[in-house]
Structure formats: structure tokens, C-alpha cells
Amino acid sequence: MADGRKAGMWRPVPVFILLLVLPVVVYAFVSPARVPSSCTLPSSSIITATCLAPSLIHRLATSEDDPPPPPTTLVDKLFSLFFGAKEAKPLGFARISVESSPEVYPATTSIFADPLPGDSRDVAALRPLLAQTRLEKAPLNLIYDAVRDGWKKGDFHRKVDNRGATLVVARTRGGAVCGGYNPEGWEGVGDERQCISAFLFTWPQGKMRASRPIKCPKVGGASYAIDDNPALAIKFGYEDFFLKLTTDRKAISKLGLAYAKLPGGATSLFAPSEGKMAEIVDLKV
């Protein structure tokens, strides 16, 4: 039986050989002035041709006036070796950072914002909480005051729904000042909000102007940060901070479920003498 592989018959060329030869073909049609001096390509060299395509693509895709930063990490160096340097603005878009998009990052517990000109005494005491949030540089307006507007769930939602990001501030009978930051705000439609940047806070002794607040960031991912059920009024996490807004004005705090515990392992935002349940005497948003 004759062998089907005759001498001289065309044989498939491995793909990796094509990938090595392709830059040489590209180089033949490109002016040497567009090739980086560090990537010299003699006609007899195939190995050095591998650095041409990434560098050439990068030079064509980016502006000479906006050079990308040099690679610093091992991953960046490997990326640059095979694909060329990263663009400063991929596809024309700036890269996401904590400065440009703070709400996609967990809340900071070590950075505090400075008061703004025009802040009242109370707002100036609360402003440090809002570092790296969309409210850090925004004027704060009082949209709900339980003493003024009423202590019922309907009173709360009537005032705060569809108002955007909010800061809840409560004072307990035992003297603690505590609350939470809702990056998305309330709408009263019954959904569970996923907000990685949400946080709870407390001054257990109520000394707002004498000490920094303790912040409890979201843990376990973004899920179940805020329950926007109108029948539940204010609910952060499972029962990490839960205000029923009923006639007895009771609040519950069981940290560690969806929000971090206090330093030392305490699981309540309230004064030490109050435990996990406290009576709210003042409530503002």
C-alpha cells in the first residue's frame, strides 16, 4: 500500500511558528522610525522579532503625550513582556480608584475626613465618618428628625425615601451615639441592598467631640447590607443595627453578622450598660 505522505507535499505549519514569523512580516511593511530603538530586528533574527508586535501596537494605540507608567509588579512586567505596557486609560476610560469611585471599596476605618467650611457644630463632629464616601465633600441636610417628623415607620420612609445616600444618627437612653451609612439610600420597595461601602459607627460613651468614632465596615461581601423593607424601618444587616420604630422605640444591635465587631470583640453599638437592646431617645437622618 502506498504511503499517502508524498515527498514534497505541503505540511501544516505549527501555529507557534506563524506567531514568530508574523512580526517579521509586519516589520517589513512598517517604517523603521516607528520601531523602538531597543527592539532592533536584523533580517536574520526571529527571536528579537517577538518584542516588535507588542511595542508597535502600544505605540500606535497610545499618545506620545500620555505615556503609561512603567511596570512595577511582577504581574505588570509579565503583562508588558507579552502585550506591551498598560494604557493609562484603556479604551479611553480612566481606571477605577478609591478617589474616583469610593463606593465600590469597603469603608475605611483609619482615614477621617475634615470638616467643611459652613458645617454646623453637630455636622462637623459627624463629618470625619464620611471619609471616602460620596458625602465627604457634600453639604449635609437634615431630612428626618423623629422628634419633629414622628417616630413611626411611615414617617421615616415619607421623609427619606428616594433621597440618595444617607447617614443615620441615633442617641440611646444610655448615652451612646451610633448609627449607619447607607450609600444607596432607601426607596421602601422591599429589596435587600448590596453595598460593600456601607458601615455602622458608634461613640459608646457619647463623646462625639472628644474622641474618634468607632467604625464597623461591612463584612462577608456586599450582600445584605441594608434591608429596604418599609415594614422594618431601619435595618442594617441581619440585626447588626435594627430600629423597629414602634411605640416603644427599641433598637437592637448584634454585630458580627453582616458588620464587623468592635475592637476587642464587643457585639453592640450601644453603651456597655445597655447590652444588645437600647431605647432610642433621638433619631436623625
Side-chain angles (χ1 to χ4, degrees), residues 2-18:
D3 187 353
R5 294 176 296 179
K6 297 180 180 180
M9 179 180 289
W10 178 86
R11 297 180 181 179
V13 179
V15 174
F16 75 91
I17 294 180
L18 291 177

Side-chain angles (χ1 to χ4, degrees), residues 157-169:
H157 283 284
R158 176 170 50 86
K159 287 291 188 178
V160 306
D161 283 358
N162 303 307
R163 297 297 298 270
T166 53
L167 185 70
V168 176
V169 185

Side-chain angles (χ1 to χ4, degrees), residues 45-234:
S45 173
I46 293 179
I47 297 177
T48 55
T50 57
C51 69
L52 170 63
S55 301
L56 176 61
I57 292 172
H58 170 69
R59 290 286 298 274
L60 295 174
T62 58
S63 169
E64 295 286 349
D65 297 330
D66 189 20
T72 56
T73 66
L74 178 60
V75 174
D76 288 342
K77 291 178 180 179
L78 290 174
F79 183 94
S80 300
L81 176 64
F82 290 101
F83 303 104
K86 289 183 179 180
E87 298 178 16
K89 295 183 178 181
L91 300 178
F93 295 97
R95 297 185 184 277
I96 295 176
S97 66
V98 69
E99 290 78 15
S100 63
S101 303
E103 304 297 359
V104 303
Y105 291 86
T108 177
T109 58
S110 59
I111 301 174
F112 295 92
D114 295 323
L116 299 180
D119 281 352
S120 66
R121 187 181 181 191
D122 288 340
V123 171
L126 295 170
R127 181 72 67 179
L129 288 165
L130 300 174
Q132 295 183 0
T133 71
R134 64 186 62 181
L135 296 182
E136 180 176 359
K137 301 296 185 180
L140 299 183
N141 301 311
L142 180 63
I143 59 175
Y144 171 75
D145 183 338
V147 175
R148 178 192 69 191
D149 302 315
W151 286 88
K152 297 181 179 180
K153 294 184 287 288
D155 298 326
F156 172 81
H157 283 284
R158 176 170 50 86
K159 287 291 188 178
V160 306
D161 283 358
N162 303 307
R163 297 297 298 270
T166 53
L167 185 70
V168 176
V169 185
R171 183 179 292 275
T172 69
R173 177 71 65 185
V177 176
C178 57
Y181 172 64
N182 181 350
E184 303 296 330
W186 278 271
E187 294 181 2
V189 295
D191 64 338
E192 298 172 1
R193 298 297 175 89
Q194 298 188 24
C195 309
I196 191 64
S197 58
F199 63 83
L200 300 176
F201 67 90
T202 182
W203 282 273
Q205 307 298 332
K207 300 177 180 179
M208 297 174 60
R209 298 172 184 83
S211 61
R212 291 289 194 189
I214 302 172
K215 295 177 67 173
C216 303
K218 184 73 179 66
V219 295
S223 61
Y224 211 71
I226 292 100
D227 194 332
D228 192 23
N229 190 334
L232 298 177
I234 303 172

Side-chain angles (χ1 to χ4, degrees), residues 178-179 199-202 204 214-217 219 236-242 252-263 265-270 275-276:
C178 57
F199 63 83
L200 300 176
F201 67 90
T202 182
I214 302 172
K215 295 177 67 173
C216 303
V219 295
F236 285 79
Y238 298 93
E239 286 187 343
D240 297 76
F241 185 48
F242 182 20
I252 298 171
S253 180
K254 298 178 181 178
L255 297 172
L257 300 174
Y259 291 84
K261 299 178 182 179
L262 300 184
T267 57
S268 173
L269 296 173
F270 308 142
K276 292 182 172 63

